[in-house]
Amino acid sequence: MIVVGGVAGGMSAATRLRRLLPDAEIVVFERGEHVSYANCGLPYHVGGVIGDREALLLQTPQSLRARFDLDVRVRTEVLAIDRKSRSVRVRELDSGREYEEPYDRLVLSPGAAPIVPDLPGVDRALVLRTVADADRMVEALHAGARTAVVVGGGFIGLEAAENLSHRGLAVTVVELGTQVLAPLDPEMAAAVHAGLRRHGVGLRLGAGLAKVLPDAVELTDGSLLDADVVLLAIGVRPETGLAHDAGLALGPHGGILVDEAMRTSDPRIHAVGDAVEKTDFVAGGTALIPLANTANRQGRLVADAVAGRPVTLGGRLGTAIVQVFDLTVAVTGANEKRLRATGRDHRAIHTHPASHAGYYPGAEPMSLKLLYDPADGTILGAQAVGGTGVDKRIDVIATAMRAGLTADTLADLELAYAPAYGSAKDPVNMLGYIAENQLSGTERSIQWHELAEAVAAGATLVDVRTPAEHAAGHIPGSLNVPVDDLRARLGTLPGGELIVYCQVGQRGHTAAALLSGLGRSVRNLDGGYRTWTAGMG
């Protein structure tokens, strides 16, 4: 058995193969110096949070030989696959020696490479994918760097920005799109933008990198930013050169195409990890999902497949989480942008609950967004931004999606409750209650981005908050009728459709139920004034 590439997918495959096939000869080729390391911890080592570099190195060729009898050859690159002779051609990078190594089964785990655009001066820019990359960045920081530009506002880019800021650098994030963290919808990303700026990180949206200068960068809008350190975090692309040259089938997104048992178009060759296209749980079809959890799972399952066990890797949700200073951001499944682009019918719910019971000290605010199919309640995705408790809410929803639960049945989940940990009606339960009301027709809602069109068509907007709240900030053109005054002032409201809103949607729900019961056509602004404000930017 030959495994090409280490880290999550490759080493999971190799060690599981050993447990299943104690007598097999297993060879692992790794182009880099380290075969098993915590690449997700690299930004935190750069920032000094993980001070001991050795803590990132999980296994060595020696420890893997001792425990698993694996023949691990680092600094050895696989140059080509000869499918006819079932062998690979390899080169020892230090000596330059080349030789052939035969295989009965081959597992490809080449990973993905950082995207480096062909721009003037880009050789000065750094990337952060391997331990060697982290070493280069730490060396640059020790050389007295005071300013940094991070190009790309994805997960790695924001982790790096936070950690460079912790090191005392003045940091600017440059993002070509209109928002950071593309898996978020814009109204959810607004809190991340505010959090970055609150912690002193500059944010340049809608601008790209044009060139890298000796001590600065030039953006596509012609502006210059001081940059002792330039980090490229634009994204990654699957390393498919070996597979392509060997004639293996690639998928529509450029990754290696595999079946449910991770077999490539050659049944003797399997592939796992970031280089492989996975099945999209929500939309079907394939997608590139470069996450460690999936790579580890594929590595384990591919070993089972090689050993003759029946395996099936189901669709992937792309559940992910990132820390951005005092914020936690988590996602699972599809976002609304993608659902719109693919024409998938959907309904959205926004809530703004506290992390635990509000009367218990230390409760932190969060924003949740749930997306579901209005025809049958199928949960399509969720997003969360806030402090403590964001992780467990997304994990619960991801588990519910995997189990096939519908949005309304979230109300039935029995989740652990004590005032220090949650609420008697957990935020996940509340999403279920709202979905239940919508699916049953008890309440009609309208989204922040639909509001202007509805008002232009003649609907009347009613702010049901207190006069003080209305005076502090309101949606232009809205009438202020506090929810407690609605019955008495019903006759003063114009005819036609009413759209009610409060701060986060809860009083709006009460107002909508009252008005609907009195015969008025009414919709509640989902997520209230807070969501509208975030969405309008």
Side-chain angles (χ1 to χ4, degrees), residues 244-493:
H244 174 271
D245 293 346
L248 300 178
L250 302 183
H253 303 284
I256 303 171
L257 201 60
V258 296
D259 64 12
E260 292 181 337
M262 279 68 70
R263 282 185 295 260
T264 69
S265 53
D266 183 328
R268 288 185 173 272
I269 302 176
H270 298 249
V272 300
D274 294 354
V276 169
E277 299 205 359
K278 293 89 176 174
T279 301
D280 187 317
F281 184 87
V282 174
T286 62
L288 293 173
I289 304 175
L291 295 173
N293 174 287
T294 294
N296 277 299
R297 181 61 175 154
Q298 284 188 317
R300 178 183 174 88
L301 289 180
V302 79
D304 286 8
V306 170
R309 298 186 174 198
V311 300
T312 298
L313 179 72
R316 312 311 290 170
L317 291 168
T319 306
I321 192 167
V322 64
Q323 175 182 300
V324 184
F325 294 98
D326 54 357
L327 289 178
T328 300
V329 182
V331 298
T332 190
N335 60 22
E336 192 168 9
K337 291 177 292 187
R338 198 171 103 205
L339 294 174
R340 285 187 204 166
T342 58
R344 178 72 182 266
D345 195 15
H346 63 278
R347 190 169 288 167
I349 298 172
H350 296 82
T351 62
H352 303 278
S355 57
H356 60 244
Y359 59 80
Y360 188 89
E364 299 181 41
M366 71 174 74
S367 296
L368 296 177
K369 180 174 184 177
L370 184 76
L371 295 155
Y372 70 94
D373 190 322
D376 58 12
T378 298
I379 303 172
L380 303 175
Q383 301 160 43
V385 180
T388 303
V390 161
D391 55 341
K392 72 176 182 178
R393 270 68 188 213
I394 283 293
D395 284 344
V396 167
I397 295 171
T399 303
M401 292 179 70
R402 174 63 63 181
L405 300 184
T406 55
D408 54 319
T409 59
L410 295 177
D412 290 324
L413 295 180
E414 296 181 75
L415 303 175
Y417 161 62
Y421 300 99
S423 303
K425 294 178 182 177
D426 189 86
V428 172
N429 294 140
M430 290 304 301
L431 292 171
Y433 289 129
I434 297 169
E436 186 178 58
N437 285 337
Q438 293 180 350
L439 287 166
S440 65
T442 303
E443 178 175 295
R444 298 166 60 228
S445 65
I446 185 171
Q447 294 300 312
W448 64 272
H449 54 82
E450 300 170 332
L451 189 59
E453 183 179 351
V455 171
T460 299
L461 190 58
V462 182
D463 181 351
V464 301
R465 299 174 300 164
T466 66
E469 289 175 292
H470 182 80
H474 60 271
I475 302 175
S478 59
L479 303 176
N480 183 212
V481 183
V483 63
D484 294 335
D485 299 342
L486 270 177
R487 283 184 183 275
R489 295 175 57 181
L490 183 63
T492 68
L493 295 176

